[in-house]
């Protein structure tokens, strides 16, 4: 089963993935991490990716798909979750040819709530776990003891740019996946447990 998560910044995609991993045997794919892993191998492809990234460019889609395909071939789990991919129609069409989504979960959240969450979130510099300043009163990660920090790009200006990109490039995917009859819209304004419970129910109902 292939699952795609869609949602604006602050909708809780990362938190949801962490929750799902506690209940399901998942293969979580982040294309950004895959590219970083390829760079770390020192391969010729990794060197090419590194050069593009160092020059501030975007890695070509065919290279992203090659790296993604290699990861999928090594996968031995029944459920694959794509986190942060696809981000536009071109990427979605390419993914359809490689691993067509069975379920697309759209975490629907208003921009106002998302901004409040983003400006209140802290990320562990060691394990990447995300926390909210309204729910935690320490700068030490309860999970691993790492330092909790605010992301450097979690500013109003940067957030607005990311939102513009989402509504321009990613939001059209909602119509595409509705037509494909695989879209499930989830209210992301609830607690992380409530959102995870709803998503688990959707996945379990379609995994039988």
């Amino acid at each position: 089963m292939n699952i795609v998560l869609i949602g604006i910044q602050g909708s809780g995609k990362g938190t949801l993935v962490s929750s799902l991993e506690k209940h399901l045997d998942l293969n979580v794919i982040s294309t950004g991490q895959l590219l970083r892993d390829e760079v770390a191998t020192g391969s010729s492809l990794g060197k090419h990716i590194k050069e593009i990234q160092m020059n501030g460019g975007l890695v070509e889609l065919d290279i992203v798909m090659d790296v993604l395909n290699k990861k999928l071939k090594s996968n031995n789990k029944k459920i694959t979750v794509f986190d942060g991919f696809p981000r536009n129609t071109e990427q979605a069409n390419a993914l359809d040819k490689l691993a067509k989504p069975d379920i697309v979960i759209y975490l629907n959240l208003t921009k106002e709530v998302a901004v409040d969450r983003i400006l209140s979130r802290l990320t562990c510099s060691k394990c990447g776990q995300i926390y909210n300043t309204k729910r935690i009163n320490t700068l030490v990660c309860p999970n691993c003891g790492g330092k909790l920090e605010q992301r450097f790009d979690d500013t109003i200006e940067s957030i607005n740019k990311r939102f513009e990109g989402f509504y321009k490039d990613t939001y059209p995917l909602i119509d595409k996946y509705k037509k494909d009859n695989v879209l499930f819209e989830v209210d992301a304004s609830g607690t992380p447990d409530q959102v995870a419970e709803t998503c688990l129910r959707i996945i379990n109902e379609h995994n039988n």
Side-chain angles (χ1 to χ4, degrees), residues 128-145:
Q129 190 73 31
I130 299 172
Y131 300 92
N132 191 295
T133 56
K134 296 179 180 178
R135 298 191 181 97
I136 193 170
N137 58 1
T138 178
L139 292 179
V140 178
C141 177
N143 183 51
C144 72

Side-chain angles (χ1 to χ4, degrees), residues 92-153:
N93 291 336
L95 182 62
D96 280 349
K97 297 176 182 178
L98 188 64
K100 193 173 180 67
D102 299 291
I103 293 176
V104 176
I105 295 176
Y106 169 40
L107 297 175
N108 192 2
L109 191 69
T110 66
K111 180 179 177 180
E112 291 73 22
V113 175
V115 168
D116 181 65
R117 285 185 180 179
I118 293 171
L119 294 179
S120 301
R121 74 181 176 188
L122 296 171
T123 303
C124 177
S125 59
K126 188 175 181 181
C127 72
Q129 190 73 31
I130 299 172
Y131 300 92
N132 191 295
T133 56
K134 296 179 180 178
R135 298 191 181 97
I136 193 170
N137 58 1
T138 178
L139 292 179
V140 178
C141 177
N143 183 51
C144 72
K147 183 180 179 182
L148 299 183
E149 302 173 326
Q150 186 176 40
R151 279 176 38 173
F152 73 91
D153 57 347

Side-chain angles (χ1 to χ4, degrees), residues 67-81:
V67 174
L68 184 58
N69 188 36
K70 184 164 66 173
K71 175 67 175 179
L72 288 172
K73 285 183 176 179
S74 66
N75 175 39
N76 59 1
K77 298 183 179 181
K78 293 182 178 180
I79 302 177
T80 296
V81 174

Side-chain angles (χ1 to χ4, degrees), residues 25 35 43 54 77 82 111 147 165 186 191-192 202 205:
D25 188 26
L35 293 175
S43 67
M54 288 183 66
K77 298 183 179 181
F82 294 90
K111 180 179 177 180
K147 183 180 179 182
V186 174
T191 66
I202 292 170
E205 286 176 354

Side-chain angles (χ1 to χ4, degrees), residues 13-33:
K13 295 188 296 296
T15 301
L16 174 60
V17 167
S18 296
S19 296
L20 294 180
E21 285 183 301
K22 296 176 183 177
H23 301 278
L24 301 169
D25 188 26
L26 300 179
N27 176 36
V28 180
I29 292 183
S30 164
T31 52
Q33 186 59 52

